[in-house]
Amino acid sequence: SLSRDLYPAAARAAMRFGAGVLQVVAMAILLGGALLLAEGASAQPDYRNLTVAANETLTLADGEFEVEGNIEVFGELALDNCTLGMKMASTSGEGEIRIQPGGSLTVSDCSMNAVGNLSFYQVALDQMAEQDPTNLSFYEQHYSSLANASAQFRVVLDEGELALSNVTVSQGRFWMVGGNASMFDVSSSGLSPIYDIGLFIEDTTFLGDGIELANYAVGVRAIGTSPTLLNTSYVNCTVDRTQEWWLTVTVHDGDGALLEGVHVVQRDAEGQTVDIGDPQGDGSSVLWAREYEVVAGVRKDTLSTIFVEKYFGLYSLSGSWTGSLTDNQELDLVVNTDTSLIRFS
């Protein structure tokens, strides 16, 4: 036939496998999810949306564990000499381990990874193996390429405690926004193609030694704190590390009176907006400014430029500041409110 002439055997097999998947999905919808319980579907996870309550201690040790959904830690959770799989509801998505204020997560001698739910694909693979056994090896290869292709998980530290020692993390990332964290002999890799941040460290006390970060857009992004990172390596990261600080900007007029309703923005050398100030209740604005970034092991310091503008209808008065930061800083700018200086905005 014409289709056999146009498409090689491998392509035809892929089409059949894809059609099989669509057929299975349609059947699942009609049967109200019965396929998930059918023979050949993956086993039920050990936990579903696991919560460790305040004043509770849970230890998972010496085995393989799966959690479908998320983990929330108010008490103490310890993982020791085990494998933890964060299972998604489908082949993609992002699960979360969240350490709440006062909670703690301790992980030692473990591997952690994201697991896609391949129930539909497994049933389709079984069907195609029966219908087209000569191409079984191709179907298995295609199935393997789908496994966990876009599933990932994140560990969020929110004013709690996080400690990792001798841990391998696959398709994961860390988002730390307060508390204390330590990592020793930790290897963490993200998704491919790369697009995410490996370690996001904001206002968190962090100590790390022997860390390898792979397949991230930014390996480490630190804001408001300077983490201690010893013997850290970066593999296939677009940017190894950035260091940024909080900049609190207050604007006054020439007489020293506070100017409110001021637009505060950071722009790069080309005039492109980098960050916009977040107005605070005291009339100031808070934004971040970069001290440096490291790309392929080379550090490049940053010169930040802050613009402030006070609008008067279609007109505005402005001021600016250019400088370098090495810590969190408060900046007081003066805008001359002489109306003769008003320019068309």
Side-chain angles (χ1 to χ4, degrees), residues 19 256 275:
D275 192 26

Side-chain angles (χ1 to χ4, degrees), residues 42 66 85-93 113-119 121 143 146-152 171:
S42 60
E66 275 190 2
M86 295 295 293
K87 189 171 185 178
M88 307 298 105
S90 62
T91 56
S92 62
N113 63 283
V115 181
N117 189 332
L118 298 172
S119 300
Y121 293 100
Y143 174 85
L146 291 170
N148 313 325
S150 58
Q152 66 174 340
Q171 297 176 206

Side-chain angles (χ1 to χ4, degrees), residues 1 12 33 62 134 181 188 237 251 289 304 338:
S1 66
R12 294 197 302 273
D62 303 321
T134 58
S188 182
C237 292
V251 184
S304 299
D338 183 352

Side-chain angles (χ1 to χ4, degrees), residues 144-157:
S144 177
S145 69
L146 291 170
N148 313 325
S150 58
Q152 66 174 340
F153 75 99
R154 62 179 177 264
V155 178
V156 178
L157 176 65

Side-chain angles (χ1 to χ4, degrees), residues 83-328:
T83 297
L84 176 67
M86 295 295 293
K87 189 171 185 178
M88 307 298 105
S90 62
T91 56
S92 62
E94 184 174 38
E96 180 178 277
I97 303 174
R98 178 172 289 268
I99 308 163
Q100 297 286 8
S104 70
L105 171 62
T106 303
V107 186
S108 58
D109 303 318
C110 292
S111 62
M112 307 168 71
N113 63 283
V115 181
N117 189 332
L118 298 172
S119 300
F120 292 136
Y121 293 100
Q122 181 64 60
V123 176
L125 175 64
D126 294 342
Q127 289 184 349
M128 298 312 296
E130 292 182 6
Q131 298 174 12
D132 189 15
T134 58
N135 284 303
L136 177 60
S137 62
F138 173 82
Y139 297 135
E140 291 177 339
Q141 180 181 0
H142 189 63
Y143 174 85
S144 177
S145 69
L146 291 170
N148 313 325
S150 58
Q152 66 174 340
F153 75 99
R154 62 179 177 264
V155 178
V156 178
L157 176 65
D158 184 7
E159 297 294 344
E161 303 285 333
L162 173 65
L164 277 70
S165 176
N166 191 28
V167 177
T168 300
V169 177
S170 301
Q171 297 176 206
R173 61 190 181 104
F174 294 83
W175 196 268
M176 292 163 276
V177 290
N180 301 292
S182 64
M183 293 185 182
F184 298 100
D185 299 320
V186 173
S187 172
S188 182
S189 61
L191 289 172
S192 183
I194 59 176
Y195 70 94
D196 227 325
I197 300 171
L199 304 181
F200 179 86
I201 307 171
E202 176 186 313
D203 301 334
T204 301
T205 301
F206 184 93
L207 173 62
D209 190 0
I211 299 175
E212 180 184 90
L213 300 170
N215 301 326
Y216 294 109
V218 180
V220 177
R221 181 183 180 187
I223 302 179
T225 186
S226 181
T228 300
L229 290 162
L230 307 174
N231 302 309
T232 302
S233 61
Y234 304 90
V235 180
N236 195 32
C237 292
T238 307
V239 175
D240 296 346
R241 175 179 175 179
T242 65
Q243 177 63 62
E244 301 154 29
W245 300 102
W246 294 117
L247 186 60
T248 302
V249 180
T250 304
V251 184
H252 293 87
D253 64 16
D255 296 325
L258 179 68
L259 282 180
E260 298 185 273
V262 178
H263 181 63
V264 180
V265 62
Q266 179 185 179
R267 296 194 179 104
D268 61 19
E270 288 73 37
Q272 301 297 316
T273 297
V274 176
D275 192 26
I276 298 175
D278 183 18
Q280 306 296 299
D282 62 0
S284 66
S285 293
V286 175
L287 67 167
W288 59 264
R290 178 178 298 157
E291 178 185 357
Y292 65 84
E293 69 174 5
V294 179
V295 179
V298 179
R299 170 172 166 159
K300 180 180 179 181
D301 292 334
T302 302
L303 198 63
S304 299
T305 300
I306 307 299
F307 292 90
V308 297
E309 292 182 309
K310 174 66 176 178
Y311 293 98
F312 301 88
L314 297 177
Y315 302 90
S316 67
L317 291 169
S318 63
S320 65
W321 172 88
T322 299
S324 300
L325 297 181
T326 58
D327 205 339
N328 298 318

